Amino acid sequence: MHYLSAILPLFSSILFLCLGITVYFLSKGELRGVFLRFCYITFHWQFSWVLLFSLHNSEYSDLICKIGYSGIIFLPIAFYETIIHYLNRSKKYLPWFYFLGFLFLISLWTSNLFIKGAYLQSFGYYPEAGILHVGYMMMVAILLILVLFILYRELKEEKKRIRKIQMQFFFVSTIFFCFSAIDYLLNYPALIQKLNVQLYPYGVFFISFSMLVFILSHFITLNLTLENRVTLKTAQLKNSVEALEEAARIKKDFIANITHELRTPLTLIRGWTDFIIDGESGKVPAKLIKIIDKIALQTLNLTEKINELLKISKFDAGMEKLVLTKTDIDSTIFQIVSSFKGLTDQSRIDLKYACESKTGDVFIDNEKLKDILNNLIRNAYKFTEKGEITITLQKMNDWMVIKVKDTGIGMSQKILKSIFQRFHQGDSSKTRKYEGTGLGLAIVKDSVEIMHGTIFVESVENKGTLFTIKLPMDLELRETGSIIENRTEERRTKHTDYGSKDRRKKDRRLTDLAKINNEDIIRISASDKTLSSQKTIKRIIPKNSMGVILIAEDNTGIQDFLSTALKGYTLLIASNGQAAWEVIQQENLPDLVISDIMMPIMNGYALLENIRTHKKTTSLPVIIITSLTEQGDRIKSLQLGADDYLTKPFHHLELQARVKNVLSLHKLEREKTRSEQLEVFLMVLASVIESKDTYTGGHVERVASFSRDLARKANLPEILVNDIYMGTIVHDVGKIGIKDEVLNKPGKLTQEEFEHIKTHPVIGKNLLSKLKIAPIAVNIAYYHQEKWNGTGYPCGISKKNIPIEARIATIADYWDAITSERPYRKAIPLKKAIQIMNEERGKSFDPELFDLFMDENDKLYLKHLSSGKLKELI
């Protein structure tokens, strides 16, 4: 019988252990640890009773009772802790309950006051309560009342339906857990005998049932939550579908509107340019016709790109529909291929077409067939420098197979994987050789697939590429609603009157000038081929050149525009950065470089970096012009050293202004550099002079400083002040031609020697005149010995006939001469020197300049004297 009593606690222990482990590993947060502790304590209690009932031995029953009750003591506390953690309630009382639990645990193992020992019941041994057990029962009652109170309040306050249902199940589960406390009565044998009832195993049943209710509540709540989420997601999905349908409608409307808005101005531009070219507006000068023809070509180019964007947008929006007509496929393909014959012949590329099996008339969308072949043949032509392009048509069962093969540059396996993606190009770098939008093959693939066909591509680098297209020959059965009857013979052959006998007899799109036909495609392709293969340097040399500009630009249309906008300059035009760099290295440096960024072989960034990292070209000005509009490209260009940055499209007047500004700034910088170099040269020259005249050490620096200060006080322009300073440095340069024995003679000079000394201004003038950048220095060297009253030399001119720079230098030179040591005398004391200077006012010196120099307010004349000399005035 006692073995049967152990079955229920065994089930309960396993249940709680599995539940605790499962919740711990499936949930997150602090709660999982708390719940695991609660489940372990319950397992500890129940498994202890399994051992107690199974052994049925009085020798071990007391020990097992204590082990079991070591867990039971903390069971209600752990249950309370789990509830308050889950509901995020205050935990301020929790430490006190654990403190009481530990006190009960100590009394359990140290005395018989909590548990007296085990006594025998009908179902096995069971612990008998001591006097302290009553206090423990009071704590249990308080904890259960607190739990019920907390759950009741939570249930009343909860507004969310699912959460409220969950709280209801928790409340029921807690009530059943409270009923499990009936087991505590078994600890009181006297009470059991008095009641005369069998209470075991109701306690175990209630605690197990409470957990089953808890598990059930979890699954019910989870199910309700999932149902709620499904309902919410269904509503969101419905809204998303409606939003997508609305977006698709808006996109269709947008494409319809944008088609009209873009095609209308293009039609007008195309129409009016054709109108002028055809002579409808009267005779137009040949030069203007060339410009208008260039506009017409670029209009075609723009129209084609816009048409590609519109086509791909229609495919994406699901607006592209089939228009099937009965067509002689062989004849149609032959006509399309033949239209490229003249273009390929010019480039010496052999274009072949062969129909390998008769196909007859089939229903097909002619426009889409043209899109497919035009794009594939254009691609083959663009990427084939020499060799052949072969187009074949053959019938295979109910399919027609069209192959386009070339002997061009081919593609790598990496490129083949994404060749049909929108806007993808084999080479999308800034040095790509071939331009394009990357939409051609995407249009081909969409056109093939809308006609229920397939397209394959095979390619080998440097050997060529093969496109294979399979199209069904029963499209009329697959797309019955897309069949359009062919036009009548009368409608096809109807004569169109163009309104002018002189008007060119070619097919005109009277109703849709924004449509591109094969003639237009050939013209655009020819322009593209020239653009990518041009290697020579184009030179434009005007009669009176304003400077030399090197242009690195791969687009021939932009080249033509720049050459027209920059007329008056000598232009060297290169089609890529490498060609431009070779010009810079092999020829004289240009005054300016204008470069695009995206060019074949070497892009604009690499060209700019080369210019800035080579010593010869480091200061060469560069203007970047590009269609790249990202701020990062502008910043990178300026960081690499570009002087200016211009984004396409730009006005020709803006270009001219930018070019003029950059050239002017560079000219100023060159002049500044030359000025600095001149100053160094003149200082070296002055040092050479002083090395001949040992008695004038520091003389030129002092005279130059006095002259600069006097010129500045006279309110002369700062540029002139600087020129006077540098000119005064070499005012005695003519002494180079004076004999050393005369120049350094300690005694008085003879008349002959004095006449020899008087030649130094002329010698100085002759020397400095060879420096065309120093006219002020020439005047100072030549006239600084002239006097205000006309008694000086070499010319004997007077007053304001003497250049002002020379009059300034005369005052400075005279003052420094009399206050400095000379070979033939000592330095004159300052007071005496000032007296001599005053006596020469109006004789040797300009009175106005002299008064400024000798002004007692700022005493300019004392500024550059030594401290020892200044002591004479104290």
Side-chain angles (χ1 to χ4, degrees):
M1 178 65 185
H2 55 274
Y3 290 109
L4 295 176
S5 301
I7 292 175
L8 194 57
L10 178 63
F11 167 77
S12 179
S13 62
I14 295 172
L15 172 67
F16 277 92
L17 181 63
C18 293
L19 182 62
I21 294 171
T22 303
V23 171
Y24 183 81
F25 285 106
L26 292 182
S27 62
K28 296 179 181 180
E30 187 181 353
L31 180 62
R32 65 178 188 161
V34 174
F35 187 73
L36 180 63
R37 182 158 59 246
F38 166 71
C39 290
Y40 170 74
I41 290 171
T42 308
F43 163 78
H44 179 94
W45 162 39
Q46 292 294 301
F47 195 74
S48 298
W49 276 197
V50 171
L51 296 176
L52 183 65
F53 298 157
S54 300
L55 292 175
H56 199 68
N57 188 325
S58 61
E59 184 179 355
Y60 299 107
S61 59
D62 286 353
L63 177 62
I64 296 173
C65 285
K66 288 185 178 183
I67 292 172
Y69 243 98
S70 296
I72 295 172
I73 289 173
F74 295 101
L75 181 62
I77 303 173
F79 180 68
Y80 170 74
E81 183 182 10
T82 303
I83 295 297
I84 61 174
H85 262 89
Y86 183 78
L87 300 177
N88 199 24
R89 293 287 181 168
S90 173
K91 305 174 184 65
K92 62 181 180 179
Y93 301 120
L94 187 62
W96 293 104
F97 286 122
Y98 269 111
F99 177 72
L100 288 174
F102 277 108
L103 290 179
F104 289 129
L105 179 65
I106 292 170
S107 67
L108 171 67
W109 287 95
T110 58
S111 70
N112 293 327
L113 296 177
F114 191 79
I115 295 296
K116 294 178 180 180
Y119 76 97
L120 186 62
Q121 283 270 21
S122 58
F123 52 84
Y125 286 97
Y126 206 79
E128 182 180 356
I131 190 168
L132 288 180
H133 194 274
V134 177
Y136 171 73
M137 289 297 293
M138 292 175 64
M139 184 188 77
V140 171
I142 292 170
L143 284 170
L144 294 178
I145 291 169
L146 279 173
V147 168
L148 290 171
F149 177 72
I150 290 170
L151 286 172
Y152 179 75
R153 281 189 60 185
E154 192 74 20
L155 185 61
K156 293 289 285 184
E157 293 172 1
E158 188 58 56
K159 301 298 181 184
K160 295 181 180 178
R161 187 178 70 89
I162 296 176
R163 177 81 169 175
K164 197 174 186 71
I165 293 171
Q166 188 180 32
M167 288 296 102
Q168 289 172 349
F169 275 100
F170 277 6
F171 194 76
V172 171
S173 175
T174 302
I175 291 173
F176 278 109
F177 183 84
C178 293
F179 286 156
S180 68
I182 197 171
D183 261 7
Y184 287 121
L185 297 178
L186 293 172
N187 296 123
Y188 298 92
L191 180 62
I192 294 300
Q193 288 178 4
K194 191 174 183 178
L195 293 174
N196 195 26
V197 290
Q198 178 58 271
L199 296 179
Y200 186 82
Y202 296 115
V204 179
F205 168 77
F206 282 128
I207 197 168
S208 299
F209 188 75
S210 69
M211 285 301 103
L212 291 174
V213 172
F214 172 78
I215 295 170
L216 180 63
S217 72
H218 175 73
F219 283 109
I220 292 174
T221 304
L222 180 62
N223 183 59
L224 291 172
T225 302
L226 289 175
E227 285 182 1
N228 189 52
R229 288 181 180 178
V230 169
T231 303
L232 181 62
K233 291 295 181 183
T234 302
Q236 290 177 347
L237 185 61
K238 184 179 179 182
N239 292 335
S240 298
V241 170
E242 291 175 354
L244 286 172
E245 290 175 349
E246 178 65 14
R249 185 190 64 77
I250 293 172
K251 188 174 183 180
K252 288 180 180 180
D253 292 343
F254 171 76
I255 292 172
N257 291 333
I258 204 68
T259 301
H260 175 267
E261 294 298 329
L262 289 175
R263 283 172 168 265
T264 297
L266 284 173
T267 300
L268 292 172
I269 295 170
R270 182 94 184 266
W272 285 115
T273 51
D274 284 352
F275 190 79
I276 295 170
I277 292 170
D278 292 342
E280 294 292 338
S281 60
K283 189 175 181 180
V284 181
K287 189 175 181 181
L288 185 57
I289 283 290
K290 287 183 180 179
I291 294 174
I292 294 173
D293 202 44
K294 290 174 182 177
I295 294 172
L297 175 60
Q298 297 307 319
T299 303
L300 283 176
N301 211 334
L302 178 60
T303 303
E304 186 204 21
K305 287 176 172 57
I306 290 173
N307 283 348
E308 285 183 344
L309 285 169
L310 292 174
K311 282 177 185 177
I312 211 73
S313 297
K314 285 184 176 180
F315 275 118
D316 289 342
M319 293 173 61
E320 195 66 37
K321 304 297 181 184
L322 286 177
V323 179
L324 302 179
T325 55
K326 201 168 187 178
T327 305
D328 183 345
I329 294 296
D330 179 21
S331 176
T332 300
I333 296 177
F334 176 77
Q335 289 175 13
I336 295 171
V337 173
S338 297
S339 66
F340 284 89
K341 189 67 175 169
L343 181 66
T344 55
D345 287 347
Q346 286 179 359
S347 300
R348 297 181 181 179
I349 298 171
D350 191 11
L351 179 64
K352 300 176 181 179
Y353 167 65
C355 180
E356 298 179 353
S357 52
K358 193 171 182 180
T359 55
D361 293 346
V362 295
F363 281 92
I364 200 164
D365 189 317
N366 278 316
E367 288 300 318
K368 287 175 179 53
L369 180 63
K370 286 180 182 178
D371 284 340
I372 293 167
L373 290 174
N374 283 337
N375 277 296
L376 291 179
I377 296 172
R378 282 183 70 187
N379 262 20
Y381 169 73
K382 183 191 291 186
F383 297 109
T384 303
E385 295 292 336
K386 59 182 180 179
E388 63 181 28
I389 301 170
T390 305
I391 296 91
T392 59
L393 170 67
Q394 62 182 140
K395 182 180 178 182
M396 293 179 61
N397 299 325
D398 292 330
W399 295 80
M400 54 180 166
V401 180
I402 303 169
K403 295 183 179 180
V404 179
K405 184 179 181 182
D406 66 63
T407 57
I409 62 174
M411 292 176 282
S412 66
Q413 293 302 309
K414 181 181 178 181
I415 293 173
L416 285 177
K417 291 178 182 179
S418 53
I419 195 66
F420 294 112
Q421 291 180 7
R422 282 148 173 72
F423 304 105
H424 176 83
Q425 291 178 303
D427 180 8
S428 58
S429 69
K430 289 181 171 62
T431 56
R432 68 184 189 190
K433 184 176 180 182
Y434 306 98
E435 292 198 355
T437 58
L439 290 175
L441 289 178
I443 292 172
V444 169
K445 185 172 185 292
D446 287 345
S447 298
V448 169
E449 290 179 349
I450 200 173
M451 290 193 289
H452 303 277
T454 56
I455 182 168
F456 306 95
V457 59
E458 303 168 57
S459 188
V460 179
E461 286 188 90
N462 301 316
K463 289 189 177 181
T465 303
L466 171 64
F467 285 92
T468 303
I469 300 146
K470 291 180 67 177
L471 296 173
M473 299 181 68
D474 58 350
L475 269 176
E476 72 278 10
L477 301 178
R478 301 179 185 223
E479 298 282 348
T480 55
S482 301
I483 299 174
I484 305 295
E485 292 297 328
N486 287 338
R487 294 178 176 180
T488 62
E489 185 70 20
E490 176 189 357
R491 199 174 166 199
R492 280 201 304 269
T493 58
K494 186 178 179 181
H495 173 70
T496 303
D497 184 11
Y498 294 109
S500 172
K501 294 180 180 179
D502 299 327
R503 195 168 173 86
R504 292 175 298 168
K505 300 297 184 180
K506 70 175 186 178
D507 179 35
R508 312 297 294 174
R509 292 159 303 283
L510 295 175
T511 57
D512 188 4
L513 286 173
K515 187 176 181 180
I516 299 293
N517 63 14
N518 268 48
E519 182 184 342
D520 300 328
I521 290 172
I522 302 305
R523 191 178 173 194
I524 295 168
S525 298
S527 171
D528 286 346
K529 191 76 171 184
T530 304
L531 173 149
S532 62
S533 61
Q534 187 175 358
K535 297 178 180 179
T536 58
I537 302 299
K538 183 179 178 182
R539 300 173 187 270
I540 301 174
I541 304 174
K543 286 185 177 180
N544 299 311
S545 178
M546 296 187 293
V548 180
I549 299 176
L550 173 61
I551 297 173
E553 171 59 63
D554 61 331
N555 187 287
T556 53
I558 298 294
Q559 288 179 1
D560 291 343
F561 176 72
L562 292 175
S563 61
T564 303
L566 297 174
K567 60 183 179 180
Y569 293 95
T570 297
L571 302 179
L572 309 176
I573 304 174
S575 60
N576 60 72
Q578 182 61 42
W581 179 238
E582 290 173 1
V583 170
I584 292 171
Q585 288 182 308
Q586 297 170 7
E587 302 184 18
N588 293 330
L589 285 182
D591 297 308
L592 174 67
V593 175
I594 297 176
S595 176
D596 189 12
I597 291 179
M598 297 184 69
M599 295 182 291
I601 306 176
M602 180 189 286
N603 63 37
Y605 290 146
L607 174 61
L608 180 56
E609 194 168 6
N610 279 350
I611 290 172
R612 290 293 174 254
T613 53
H614 283 70
K615 187 176 180 180
K616 177 185 174 184
T617 59
T618 186
S619 60
L620 182 61
V622 179
I623 295 177
I624 294 293
I625 56 169
T626 180
S627 56
L628 298 175
T629 57
E630 293 294 328
Q631 188 179 17
D633 295 299
R634 182 184 184 91
I635 292 171
K636 184 176 180 180
S637 299
L638 296 175
Q639 285 177 336
L640 287 173
D643 293 85
D644 208 343
Y645 185 97
L646 204 55
T647 305
K648 302 173 187 176
F650 50 81
H651 198 283
H652 70 283
L653 292 178
E654 182 183 7
L655 172 67
Q656 292 168 2
R658 299 282 185 101
V659 168
K660 185 177 179 181
N661 288 341
V662 170
L663 287 175
S664 298
L665 286 171
H666 189 62
K667 183 179 179 182
L668 288 173
E669 288 175 359
R670 286 202 308 268
E671 289 177 353
K672 182 182 177 183
T673 303
R674 288 174 183 172
S675 176
E676 291 171 350
Q677 292 173 345
L678 175 63
E679 183 175 350
V680 173
F681 169 73
L682 293 179
M683 289 295 290
V684 172
L685 191 59
S687 298
V688 173
I689 299 166
E690 288 195 344
S691 68
K692 285 178 64 67
D693 189 353
T694 57
Y695 288 90
T696 57
H699 170 65
V700 291
E701 287 93 342
R702 292 192 301 272
V703 172
S705 298
F706 281 128
S707 299
R708 179 192 59 207
D709 295 346
L710 179 54
R712 195 167 282 155
K713 192 169 182 181
N715 293 321
L716 297 182
E718 193 61 29
I719 295 176
L720 182 56
V721 169
N722 191 55
D723 287 345
I724 290 172
Y725 172 75
M726 290 190 295
T728 314
I729 289 173
V730 289
H731 70 284
D732 277 338
V733 68
K735 288 183 179 180
I736 290 175
I738 304 302
K739 297 175 182 178
D740 289 349
E741 59 269 23
V742 175
L743 193 61
N744 294 313
K745 185 177 179 180
K748 187 176 180 181
L749 297 177
T750 65
Q751 185 61 35
E752 184 181 352
E753 289 171 338
F754 184 66
E755 291 300 324
H756 179 52
I757 284 284
K758 287 170 65 176
T759 62
H760 85 271
V762 177
I763 296 171
K765 176 188 176 184
N766 293 336
L767 286 172
L768 294 176
S769 293
K770 295 176 182 179
L771 294 173
K772 296 180 180 179
I773 58 174
I776 300 299
V778 173
N779 285 343
I780 292 173
Y782 189 54
Y783 295 112
H784 76 281
Q785 292 294 342
E786 300 289 352
K787 296 184 178 181
W788 182 256
N789 60 9
T791 59
Y793 63 87
C795 299
I797 58 177
S798 63
K799 299 185 178 180
K800 292 193 176 181
N801 289 324
I802 305 169
I804 190 170
E805 54 266 26
R807 283 180 269 149
I808 290 172
T810 299
I811 296 172
D813 184 41
Y814 197 98
W815 170 251
D816 191 74
I818 64 176
T819 56
S820 304
E821 297 285 337
R822 288 290 172 174
Y824 49 87
R825 62 163 172 78
K826 296 282 186 180
I828 298 173
L830 278 181
K831 290 183 180 180
K832 179 64 176 175
I834 293 170
Q835 183 182 345
I836 293 171
M837 290 291 289
N838 286 324
E839 289 172 358
E840 292 298 317
R841 183 183 184 279
K843 294 179 182 180
S844 297
F845 311 135
D846 180 339
E848 293 179 3
L849 291 174
F850 176 81
D851 292 341
L852 291 174
F853 186 72
M854 301 300 292
D855 185 4
E856 286 298 320
N857 290 322
D858 56 8
K859 296 183 180 181
L860 187 152
Y861 63 94
L862 300 177
K863 192 172 181 181
H864 301 288
L865 297 181
S866 65
S867 57
K869 194 71 175 173
L870 292 174
K871 287 179 180 179
E872 296 178 13
L873 296 176
I874 300 174

